[in-house]
PDB file of all heavy atoms in Angstrom:
ATOM      1  N   ASN A 251      22.547 -42.422 -20.283  1.00 86.00           N
ATOM      2  CA  ASN A 251      22.333 -43.818 -19.888  1.00 86.00           C
ATOM      3  C   ASN A 251      22.595 -44.025 -18.399  1.00 86.00           C
ATOM      4  O   ASN A 251      21.931 -44.834 -17.756  1.00 86.00           O
ATOM      5  CB  ASN A 251      23.208 -44.751 -20.716  1.00 86.00           C
ATOM      6  CG  ASN A 251      22.745 -44.825 -22.147  1.00 86.00           C
ATOM      7  OD1 ASN A 251      21.561 -44.708 -22.429  1.00 86.00           O
ATOM      8  ND2 ASN A 251      23.678 -44.994 -23.060  1.00 86.00           N
ATOM      9  N   ARG A 252      23.542 -43.291 -17.868  1.00 91.00           N
ATOM     10  CA  ARG A 252      23.849 -43.393 -16.431  1.00 91.00           C
ATOM     11  C   ARG A 252      22.657 -42.919 -15.598  1.00 91.00           C
ATOM     12  O   ARG A 252      22.330 -43.508 -14.577  1.00 91.00           O
ATOM     13  CB  ARG A 252      25.100 -42.568 -16.114  1.00 91.00           C
ATOM     14  CG  ARG A 252      25.480 -42.588 -14.670  1.00 91.00           C
ATOM     15  CD  ARG A 252      26.075 -43.916 -14.267  1.00 91.00           C
ATOM     16  NE  ARG A 252      26.464 -43.840 -12.868  1.00 91.00           N
ATOM     17  CZ  ARG A 252      26.237 -44.803 -12.000  1.00 91.00           C
ATOM     18  NH1 ARG A 252      25.700 -45.926 -12.379  1.00 91.00           N
ATOM     19  NH2 ARG A 252      26.589 -44.655 -10.758  1.00 91.00           N
ATOM     20  N   PHE A 253      22.018 -41.858 -16.057  1.00 89.00           N
ATOM     21  CA  PHE A 253      20.833 -41.344 -15.368  1.00 89.00           C
ATOM     22  C   PHE A 253      19.729 -42.408 -15.323  1.00 89.00           C
ATOM     23  O   PHE A 253      19.128 -42.650 -14.279  1.00 89.00           O
ATOM     24  CB  PHE A 253      20.328 -40.081 -16.071  1.00 89.00           C
ATOM     25  CG  PHE A 253      19.032 -39.578 -15.525  1.00 89.00           C
ATOM     26  CD1 PHE A 253      18.991 -38.917 -14.310  1.00 89.00           C
ATOM     27  CD2 PHE A 253      17.845 -39.789 -16.206  1.00 89.00           C
ATOM     28  CE1 PHE A 253      17.794 -38.469 -13.791  1.00 89.00           C
ATOM     29  CE2 PHE A 253      16.648 -39.339 -15.701  1.00 89.00           C
ATOM     30  CZ  PHE A 253      16.623 -38.678 -14.488  1.00 89.00           C
ATOM     31  N   ILE A 254      19.491 -43.048 -16.445  1.00 89.00           N
ATOM     32  CA  ILE A 254      18.472 -44.108 -16.511  1.00 89.00           C
ATOM     33  C   ILE A 254      18.848 -45.255 -15.574  1.00 89.00           C
ATOM     34  O   ILE A 254      17.995 -45.785 -14.854  1.00 89.00           O
ATOM     35  CB  ILE A 254      18.302 -44.606 -17.958  1.00 89.00           C
ATOM     36  CG1 ILE A 254      17.710 -43.484 -18.812  1.00 89.00           C
ATOM     37  CG2 ILE A 254      17.420 -45.844 -18.014  1.00 89.00           C
ATOM     38  CD1 ILE A 254      17.734 -43.755 -20.297  1.00 89.00           C
ATOM     39  N   THR A 255      20.115 -45.600 -15.547  1.00 93.00           N
ATOM     40  CA  THR A 255      20.589 -46.667 -14.660  1.00 93.00           C
ATOM     41  C   THR A 255      20.342 -46.309 -13.197  1.00 93.00           C
ATOM     42  O   THR A 255      19.909 -47.152 -12.407  1.00 93.00           O
ATOM     43  CB  THR A 255      22.095 -46.922 -14.893  1.00 93.00           C
ATOM     44  OG1 THR A 255      22.293 -47.263 -16.259  1.00 93.00           O
ATOM     45  CG2 THR A 255      22.610 -48.027 -13.997  1.00 93.00           C
ATOM     46  N   ILE A 256      20.590 -45.058 -12.835  1.00 94.00           N
ATOM     47  CA  ILE A 256      20.373 -44.616 -11.449  1.00 94.00           C
ATOM     48  C   ILE A 256      18.893 -44.699 -11.078  1.00 94.00           C
ATOM     49  O   ILE A 256      18.548 -45.173  -9.989  1.00 94.00           O
ATOM     50  CB  ILE A 256      20.925 -43.189 -11.235  1.00 94.00           C
ATOM     51  CG1 ILE A 256      22.448 -43.222 -11.276  1.00 94.00           C
ATOM     52  CG2 ILE A 256      20.436 -42.599  -9.923  1.00 94.00           C
ATOM     53  CD1 ILE A 256      23.092 -41.855 -11.318  1.00 94.00           C
ATOM     54  N   VAL A 257      18.013 -44.264 -11.969  1.00 92.00           N
ATOM     55  CA  VAL A 257      16.573 -44.339 -11.686  1.00 92.00           C
ATOM     56  C   VAL A 257      16.150 -45.794 -11.513  1.00 92.00           C
ATOM     57  O   VAL A 257      15.413 -46.128 -10.588  1.00 92.00           O
ATOM     58  CB  VAL A 257      15.745 -43.640 -12.792  1.00 92.00           C
ATOM     59  CG1 VAL A 257      14.260 -43.918 -12.610  1.00 92.00           C
ATOM     60  CG2 VAL A 257      16.006 -42.146 -12.791  1.00 92.00           C
ATOM     61  N   HIS A 258      16.640 -46.679 -12.358  1.00 93.00           N
ATOM     62  CA  HIS A 258      16.280 -48.098 -12.235  1.00 93.00           C
ATOM     63  C   HIS A 258      16.886 -48.728 -10.985  1.00 93.00           C
ATOM     64  O   HIS A 258      16.264 -49.587 -10.366  1.00 93.00           O
ATOM     65  CB  HIS A 258      16.703 -48.866 -13.492  1.00 93.00           C
ATOM     66  CG  HIS A 258      15.808 -48.621 -14.651  1.00 93.00           C
ATOM     67  ND1 HIS A 258      14.807 -49.482 -15.015  1.00 93.00           N
ATOM     68  CD2 HIS A 258      15.747 -47.576 -15.516  1.00 93.00           C
ATOM     69  CE1 HIS A 258      14.169 -48.993 -16.060  1.00 93.00           C
ATOM     70  NE2 HIS A 258      14.715 -47.837 -16.389  1.00 93.00           N
ATOM     71  N   LEU A 259      18.078 -48.292 -10.610  1.00 96.00           N
ATOM     72  CA  LEU A 259      18.741 -48.837  -9.428  1.00 96.00           C
ATOM     73  C   LEU A 259      17.979 -48.502  -8.153  1.00 96.00           C
ATOM     74  O   LEU A 259      17.705 -49.364  -7.329  1.00 96.00           O
ATOM     75  CB  LEU A 259      20.172 -48.296  -9.331  1.00 96.00           C
ATOM     76  CG  LEU A 259      20.972 -48.707  -8.102  1.00 96.00           C
ATOM     77  CD1 LEU A 259      21.282 -50.200  -8.160  1.00 96.00           C
ATOM     78  CD2 LEU A 259      22.251 -47.897  -8.031  1.00 96.00           C
ATOM     79  N   TYR A 260      17.604 -47.227  -7.991  1.00 96.00           N
ATOM     80  CA  TYR A 260      16.895 -46.797  -6.780  1.00 96.00           C
ATOM     81  C   TYR A 260      15.394 -47.023  -6.868  1.00 96.00           C
ATOM     82  O   TYR A 260      14.723 -47.059  -5.847  1.00 96.00           O
ATOM     83  CB  TYR A 260      17.197 -45.321  -6.478  1.00 96.00           C
ATOM     84  CG  TYR A 260      18.608 -45.126  -6.001  1.00 96.00           C
ATOM     85  CD1 TYR A 260      19.579 -44.637  -6.854  1.00 96.00           C
ATOM     86  CD2 TYR A 260      18.973 -45.460  -4.705  1.00 96.00           C
ATOM     87  CE1 TYR A 260      20.881 -44.461  -6.421  1.00 96.00           C
ATOM     88  CE2 TYR A 260      20.276 -45.296  -4.260  1.00 96.00           C
ATOM     89  CZ  TYR A 260      21.221 -44.798  -5.129  1.00 96.00           C
ATOM     90  OH  TYR A 260      22.509 -44.634  -4.701  1.00 96.00           O
ATOM     91  N   ASP A 261      14.851 -47.120  -8.074  1.00 95.00           N
ATOM     92  CA  ASP A 261      13.431 -47.412  -8.325  1.00 95.00           C
ATOM     93  C   ASP A 261      12.500 -46.564  -7.443  1.00 95.00           C
ATOM     94  O   ASP A 261      11.703 -47.082  -6.657  1.00 95.00           O
ATOM     95  CB  ASP A 261      13.164 -48.891  -8.099  1.00 95.00           C
ATOM     96  CG  ASP A 261      11.822 -49.319  -8.661  1.00 95.00           C
ATOM     97  OD1 ASP A 261      11.318 -48.672  -9.596  1.00 95.00           O
ATOM     98  OD2 ASP A 261      11.257 -50.306  -8.141  1.00 95.00           O
ATOM     99  N   PRO A 262      12.573 -45.215  -7.562  1.00 95.00           N
ATOM    100  CA  PRO A 262      11.761 -44.363  -6.686  1.00 95.00           C
ATOM    101  C   PRO A 262      10.272 -44.409  -7.039  1.00 95.00           C
ATOM    102  O   PRO A 262       9.904 -44.594  -8.196  1.00 95.00           O
ATOM    103  CB  PRO A 262      12.328 -42.970  -6.951  1.00 95.00           C
ATOM    104  CG  PRO A 262      12.825 -43.036  -8.351  1.00 95.00           C
ATOM    105  CD  PRO A 262      13.350 -44.431  -8.521  1.00 95.00           C
ATOM    106  N   ASP A 263       9.438 -44.252  -6.025  1.00 94.00           N
ATOM    107  CA  ASP A 263       7.995 -44.140  -6.246  1.00 94.00           C
ATOM    108  C   ASP A 263       7.640 -42.739  -6.721  1.00 94.00           C
ATOM    109  O   ASP A 263       6.688 -42.557  -7.456  1.00 94.00           O
ATOM    110  CB  ASP A 263       7.228 -44.417  -4.949  1.00 94.00           C
ATOM    111  CG  ASP A 263       7.361 -45.853  -4.501  1.00 94.00           C
ATOM    112  OD1 ASP A 263       7.427 -46.737  -5.363  1.00 94.00           O
ATOM    113  OD2 ASP A 263       7.406 -46.073  -3.275  1.00 94.00           O
ATOM    114  N   ILE A 264       8.405 -41.746  -6.261  1.00 92.00           N
ATOM    115  CA  ILE A 264       8.115 -40.345  -6.562  1.00 92.00           C
ATOM    116  C   ILE A 264       9.311 -39.728  -7.277  1.00 92.00           C
ATOM    117  O   ILE A 264      10.453 -39.844  -6.818  1.00 92.00           O
ATOM    118  CB  ILE A 264       7.822 -39.554  -5.272  1.00 92.00           C
ATOM    119  CG1 ILE A 264       6.637 -40.160  -4.541  1.00 92.00           C
ATOM    120  CG2 ILE A 264       7.579 -38.085  -5.595  1.00 92.00           C
ATOM    121  CD1 ILE A 264       6.392 -39.577  -3.162  1.00 92.00           C
ATOM    122  N   LEU A 265       9.034 -39.073  -8.399  1.00 89.00           N
ATOM    123  CA  LEU A 265      10.052 -38.319  -9.126  1.00 89.00           C
ATOM    124  C   LEU A 265       9.716 -36.845  -8.953  1.00 89.00           C
ATOM    125  O   LEU A 265       8.592 -36.426  -9.199  1.00 89.00           O
ATOM    126  CB  LEU A 265      10.054 -38.693 -10.607  1.00 89.00           C
ATOM    127  CG  LEU A 265      10.353 -40.156 -10.922  1.00 89.00           C
ATOM    128  CD1 LEU A 265      10.173 -40.423 -12.401  1.00 89.00           C
ATOM    129  CD2 LEU A 265      11.763 -40.510 -10.493  1.00 89.00           C
ATOM    130  N   VAL A 266      10.680 -36.059  -8.509  1.00 88.00           N
ATOM    131  CA  VAL A 266      10.457 -34.646  -8.233  1.00 88.00           C
ATOM    132  C   VAL A 266      11.298 -33.824  -9.202  1.00 88.00           C
ATOM    133  O   VAL A 266      12.426 -34.185  -9.518  1.00 88.00           O
ATOM    134  CB  VAL A 266      10.851 -34.302  -6.781  1.00 88.00           C
ATOM    135  CG1 VAL A 266      10.673 -32.825  -6.501  1.00 88.00           C
ATOM    136  CG2 VAL A 266      10.043 -35.128  -5.805  1.00 88.00           C
ATOM    137  N   GLY A 267      10.725 -32.727  -9.657  1.00 85.00           N
ATOM    138  CA  GLY A 267      11.461 -31.814 -10.524  1.00 85.00           C
ATOM    139  C   GLY A 267      10.986 -30.400 -10.290  1.00 85.00           C
ATOM    140  O   GLY A 267       9.949 -30.163  -9.669  1.00 85.00           O
ATOM    141  N   TYR A 268      11.759 -29.453 -10.776  1.00 81.00           N
ATOM    142  CA  TYR A 268      11.407 -28.047 -10.651  1.00 81.00           C
ATOM    143  C   TYR A 268      11.029 -27.542 -12.032  1.00 81.00           C
ATOM    144  O   TYR A 268      11.844 -27.594 -12.949  1.00 81.00           O
ATOM    145  CB  TYR A 268      12.590 -27.257 -10.089  1.00 81.00           C
ATOM    146  CG  TYR A 268      12.255 -25.816  -9.810  1.00 81.00           C
ATOM    147  CD1 TYR A 268      11.640 -25.469  -8.620  1.00 81.00           C
ATOM    148  CD2 TYR A 268      12.523 -24.816 -10.734  1.00 81.00           C
ATOM    149  CE1 TYR A 268      11.313 -24.154  -8.352  1.00 81.00           C
ATOM    150  CE2 TYR A 268      12.196 -23.502 -10.471  1.00 81.00           C
ATOM    151  CZ  TYR A 268      11.594 -23.172  -9.285  1.00 81.00           C
ATOM    152  OH  TYR A 268      11.267 -21.876  -9.029  1.00 81.00           O
TER     153      TYR A 268
END
Side-chain angles (χ1 to χ4, degrees):
N251 290 328
R252 179 73 178 137
F253 174 75
I254 293 169
T255 302
I256 290 170
V257 171
H258 284 261
L259 176 68
Y260 289 102
D261 194 25
D263 293 325
I264 301 172
L265 299 174
V266 178
Y268 185 83

